[in-house]
Amino acid sequence: MTNPVHSSPTRSDRTATAPYNFVPLPEQVVTVPENDIPGHDRYEHNNGWIGCTLLAESHLYTRAAMDSRFFVESSETEFDKLSEAQRKERAQFFTVGRTDAGPQLAIPGSSLRGMTRSLVEIAAYGKMQWVTDESLFFRSIGDRSSLAAYYGRFFINRSEQVFESRAMPGYLSKVGAKWYIVLPQTVSGVRLGRIERTDIESIDGVLDGWHGCANARIIYVHLEEEKDHPHSRATLRYAKVKEASNKPGPGLEEMVLVETRRVGRKHLQFVFGLPSTERIPIKEGIIELYRSQITEGQREQLLNMDGVLQHMQPVFYLLEENQVKFFGHTMMFRLPYEKTPFDFVPQELRQEDAIDLAEAIFGFEPVPGRLNGQGMAGRVFFSDAMVLKSSGENLEPEPIILRVLGGPKPTAFPHYLTQQEPDDIKKLHHYDSPLNQAVIRGHKLYWHKKDVSLADIREEREGEINKHATQYTLIRPVKPGTMFAFVVHFENLTDCELGCLLWVLSLPGKDGRTYRHKLGMGKPLGMGSVKITADLHLTDRKSRYKQLFSDDRWNHGCEVRKSVNDLAAAFEEYVLERIDPAERKDAKRLVDLERIQALLRLLEWSDLDKEKTAYMPLETFKERKVLPSPLSPVYNDPD
């Protein structure tokens, strides 16, 4: 095995919980030679369709598309600002016309296709290509993790037990299309000082604004020289304001008060010297990188829609080799990692010129160096899944407010990157760890949750809804027990390809265990668990075109008999012969492979303890707990 292998924590206090987990990366991709991919100019292999029924085991929701009128009226309106009638219209389930019983409910074929393709990529040992190559950001204050130590190197100069910040004060300025950092003038030998919040609150009178900046005002202060100041956790070196006023006075210097949000024990704010004529250019890429990480809190509560990107906005910045590395509105601002998640996908698992089974079946776009630079259309076609009994009884009577699906994002490196020493918070890998020490955890899937009630998915706390209105949405899901039917048509699939399609639709696993697929919105809450039953129909396409009619009906071609088990076995044999021998070991079937066991465990329809599949409270994330492997004993059945 060459890829770093994830180790599960052995201590309960180091074990994270989440409604998702990961199927590990393969050691190598199972590829399909270009000459082995059937073309579209002849029928040599399997043709026909797979008739499928889909049973909703939990509440299921796919949103209706906007009609042209609604799109024009409200597509740009935030959900919490829609009228009640508009909200209800936006909450409707996907439909394709009407019947006498009401709207014809359906699941889009595109959703079914996407779900199926994702599972083909996993089960067929496909490429790992759908991983973001955008920079992630980090900020680590107050914890004991390896990331905190790494973060501190950028921001803190430490001389014995005295700490100085490496972040420097400045003002953003835009000249034409170019952005600069303008340096403050010095006051008492420094460009930056600190002031007690209580001293600000005791000023008699209003402070004048500063260039329309939301967090900056003009202040007149007496600033002492820089010296050491003992604090509860460390000794800090800075210049402190001894006297402050809202108007000029003897011994007072005009400066700019810069306030940041009050958190924890924080009691000091900042004063900047007035802008000087010195300035440092900022590379264009840094500006766009900053734009990509502006938070809603910064837009709505502290700054404006562009964050700090306005003329004369005070900022803190870091220099690296005399270039601006990054900037922000606080002294300890978020930094971009040097690497992206895509960098943590091994090169051999993301070769663009290779073709995997998912691409061979579903098609692919042109890529230089592959198939003479040509693309290829897919050979499978998914219909919409139509509800079998269309009536209002299938839907919840009224739209519901869905609980917020907030949780850890890829920035939660103890979840998304492999860890070798999960019990030691100081030895965790993060997104600037060496690439040979960690890889991404793999394909993300959500656990099934049995017996999920409407109360489990509906937000009923009015206070939370009012406080975070922009984060909520309204849905009208179908009830558990609703049945749909769809058809997968296929053309010219080899036995291996058809076996692969049948394998992911039927999920043949261990005897005595049952499995379900996941579809639609609300997966972290337990929504979208569906049971798919597939029935194969093969036709002789050549015989179909030899005559137009069969008796008094259209000739669809005589049906061909092939064993579903034999087709699935052809797929399994194809994969087993081509995976890394060290990963295969002595496996005779896919289910014998540890990686496929992880996939099936995540898709298993079992009574898993809901506490083990719940999001942790946000305050717990500073403990940097590590998510176990899906095959960890933590996820054993209750019995």
Side-chain angles (χ1 to χ4, degrees):
M1 305 289 279
T2 57
N3 291 336
V5 178
H6 182 68
S7 297
S8 296
T10 62
R11 292 166 24 199
S12 60
D13 65 322
R14 294 293 307 136
T15 302
T17 64
Y20 58 82
N21 212 298
F22 299 87
V23 180
L25 297 178
E27 282 295 315
Q28 64 186 44
V29 172
V30 170
T31 60
V32 181
E34 292 181 3
N35 295 333
D36 289 354
I37 302 176
H40 292 273
D41 56 348
R42 62 180 61 87
Y43 294 113
E44 299 177 310
H45 300 286
N46 298 297
N47 300 277
W49 72 93
I50 304 171
C52 299
T53 58
L54 183 151
L55 173 66
E57 298 272 25
S58 61
H59 282 89
L60 173 67
Y61 181 74
T62 54
R63 194 181 292 283
M66 296 184 194
D67 63 28
S68 57
R69 172 196 57 81
F70 190 85
F71 181 83
V72 170
E73 290 179 356
S74 59
S75 63
E76 300 296 324
T77 306
E78 293 182 2
F79 199 86
D80 65 308
K81 295 181 175 62
L82 296 174
S83 69
E84 189 65 24
Q86 289 174 323
R87 287 191 183 189
K88 286 189 175 182
E89 183 171 353
R90 193 74 182 96
Q92 294 307 310
F93 198 89
F94 187 84
T95 60
V96 286
R98 297 182 64 88
T99 66
D100 293 340
Q104 183 73 18
L105 305 178
I107 301 168
S110 57
S111 297
L112 298 164
R113 177 187 174 93
M115 176 199 71
T116 306
R117 174 169 181 150
S118 294
L119 290 177
V120 167
E121 289 175 345
I122 300 173
Y125 280 64
K127 294 185 292 188
M128 193 68 184
Q129 53 187 336
W130 313 116
V131 180
T132 181
D133 60 357
E134 295 181 359
S135 295
L136 300 181
F137 292 80
F138 67 102
R139 183 172 183 258
S140 187
I141 301 173
D143 64 45
R144 299 175 292 107
S145 71
S146 55
L147 186 65
Y150 180 71
Y151 182 80
R153 295 174 195 167
F154 292 101
F155 283 94
I156 298 172
N157 281 320
R158 179 173 177 173
S159 175
E160 297 180 353
Q161 295 301 314
V162 179
F163 295 83
E164 286 183 297
S165 174
R166 289 181 177 175
M168 294 176 284
Y171 298 91
L172 279 180
S173 174
K174 188 177 184 183
V175 180
K178 186 73 177 174
W179 286 90
Y180 297 86
I181 294 284
V182 176
L183 275 57
Q185 301 174 24
T186 59
V187 177
S188 298
V190 296
R191 302 181 191 271
L192 169 75
R194 299 200 187 192
I195 181 172
E196 292 282 354
R197 182 176 290 276
T198 54
D199 290 341
I200 301 171
E201 295 169 350
S202 65
I203 293 175
D204 184 18
V206 177
L207 299 177
D208 292 334
W210 173 258
H211 290 274
C213 298
N215 69 330
R217 293 174 288 169
I218 297 173
I219 192 170
Y220 299 88
V221 301
H222 170 62
L223 186 67
E224 67 177 10
E225 292 185 354
E226 189 176 56
K227 66 179 182 180
D228 296 345
H229 295 268
H231 288 258
S232 58
R233 297 184 179 180
T235 297
L236 307 179
R237 180 171 293 135
Y238 57 86
K240 189 174 183 179
V241 170
K242 302 301 291 182
E243 182 183 353
S245 174
N246 68 324
K247 53 190 176 183
L252 300 181
E253 296 277 357
E254 182 179 356
M255 299 187 77
V256 177
L257 171 66
V258 181
E259 296 185 272
T260 56
R261 188 175 300 169
R262 184 197 297 264
V263 290
R265 302 179 182 180
K266 182 176 179 180
H267 57 92
L268 291 171
Q269 296 297 330
F270 305 97
V271 289
F272 287 25
L274 296 177
S276 70
T277 57
E278 301 177 76
R279 65 184 189 181
I280 306 170
I282 303 174
K283 292 187 294 186
E284 183 177 344
I286 300 297
I287 296 295
E288 293 310 308
L289 202 55
Y290 174 82
R291 287 186 193 277
S292 71
Q293 56 83 58
I294 302 173
T295 67
E296 287 302 313
Q298 291 172 14
R299 288 191 173 103
E300 297 178 2
Q301 300 174 25
L302 189 63
L303 301 168
N304 58 40
M305 292 304 295
D306 291 320
V308 299
L309 296 179
Q310 63 176 337
H311 184 62
M312 285 296 118
Q313 170 68 51
V315 294
F316 292 91
Y317 67 98
L318 289 175
L319 282 181
E320 187 175 80
E321 297 180 353
N322 295 321
Q323 297 284 329
V324 175
K325 178 180 177 64
F326 209 61
F327 57 86
H329 68 281
T330 65
M331 181 173 277
M332 306 289 277
F333 50 82
R334 297 200 300 164
L335 282 176
Y337 284 105
E338 298 292 337
K339 306 182 185 75
T340 72
F342 194 61
D343 292 326
F344 286 86
V345 178
Q347 287 282 350
E348 59 272 18
L349 301 185
R350 48 182 167 108
Q351 301 174 47
E352 284 194 345
D353 57 348
I355 301 173
D356 60 21
L357 266 171
E359 290 177 316
I361 296 170
F362 290 88
F364 51 84
E365 295 180 349
V367 172
R370 180 173 78 177
L371 205 67
N372 296 320
Q374 297 180 343
M376 179 170 283
R379 288 170 284 132
V380 291
F381 314 93
F382 286 73
S383 74
D384 294 335
M386 310 299 293
V387 71
L388 289 182
K389 182 181 178 183
S390 185
S391 73
E393 295 178 359
N394 292 315
L395 289 164
E396 286 298 333
E398 293 293 331
I400 66 169
I401 297 177
L402 189 67
R403 287 175 52 193
V404 173
L405 301 178
K409 303 298 186 286
T411 48
F413 58 88
H415 290 213
Y416 283 79
L417 289 179
T418 57
Q419 305 295 337
Q420 280 72 61
E421 297 187 64
D423 291 337
D424 191 339
I425 192 173
K426 295 183 179 180
K427 294 183 179 180
L428 299 181
H429 297 305
H430 50 73
Y431 289 105
D432 272 347
S433 294
L435 293 177
N436 63 340
Q437 295 181 7
V439 293
I440 61 170
R441 287 284 303 273
H443 299 265
K444 181 180 178 181
L445 295 176
Y446 287 92
W447 293 102
H448 291 297
K449 300 181 182 182
K450 276 190 172 182
D451 303 321
V452 176
S453 68
L454 196 60
D456 292 323
I457 65 175
R458 178 172 55 197
E459 180 60 82
E460 298 177 335
R461 298 170 296 175
E462 289 189 13
E464 288 297 307
I465 296 171
N466 295 332
K467 184 178 179 181
H468 304 289
T470 59
Q471 299 180 30
Y472 287 96
T473 189
L474 208 63
I475 67 171
R476 193 181 180 196
V478 296
K479 299 175 183 178
T482 304
M483 185 78 77
F484 297 81
F486 66 97
V487 178
V488 183
H489 293 277
F490 56 88
E491 294 180 347
N492 226 15
L493 293 186
T494 65
D495 283 0
C496 166
E497 293 170 333
L498 180 55
C500 177
L501 199 59
L502 291 166
W503 195 98
V504 301
L505 287 172
S506 59
L507 298 176
K510 295 183 178 180
D511 293 339
R513 297 179 182 267
T514 57
Y515 305 91
R516 299 291 185 267
H517 294 79
K518 274 281 193 179
L519 194 63
M521 282 181 61
K523 297 182 187 73
L525 301 177
M527 292 177 62
S529 295
V530 299
K531 177 183 179 181
I532 294 177
T533 304
D535 186 20
L536 175 65
H537 299 268
L538 289 169
T539 61
D540 184 344
R541 189 61 66 93
K542 291 182 179 180
S543 72
R544 174 183 178 182
Y545 291 108
K546 286 182 178 180
Q547 62 185 61
L548 187 60
F549 293 99
S550 176
D551 297 329
D552 60 347
R553 298 183 179 183
W554 291 105
N555 177 32
H556 293 292
C558 58
E559 188 159 338
V560 179
R561 298 291 180 183
K562 281 191 179 182
S563 165
V564 171
N565 290 337
D566 288 347
L567 291 166
F571 160 62
E572 294 195 11
E573 181 180 358
Y574 188 93
V575 172
L576 288 169
E577 288 178 351
R578 289 163 176 79
I579 63 174
D580 184 83
E583 187 172 4
R584 176 177 179 174
K585 299 178 183 176
D586 57 354
K588 300 295 189 295
R589 295 183 55 207
L590 286 187
V591 74
D592 298 328
L593 298 170
E594 188 173 303
R595 181 171 175 271
I596 300 301
Q597 290 171 9
L599 166 64
L600 292 171
R601 185 68 185 96
L602 277 159
L603 298 176
E604 190 172 338
W605 189 239
S606 62
D607 291 310
L608 195 61
D609 186 345
K610 291 181 181 179
E611 290 186 2
K612 297 175 182 177
T613 60
Y615 280 126
M616 297 185 300
L618 290 177
E619 59 268 18
T620 306
F621 281 99
K622 66 180 181 181
E623 299 173 17
R624 309 290 187 187
K625 295 182 178 183
V626 175
L627 196 64
S629 158
L631 298 178
S632 165
V634 169
Y635 300 115
N636 284 347
D637 290 333
D639 56 357

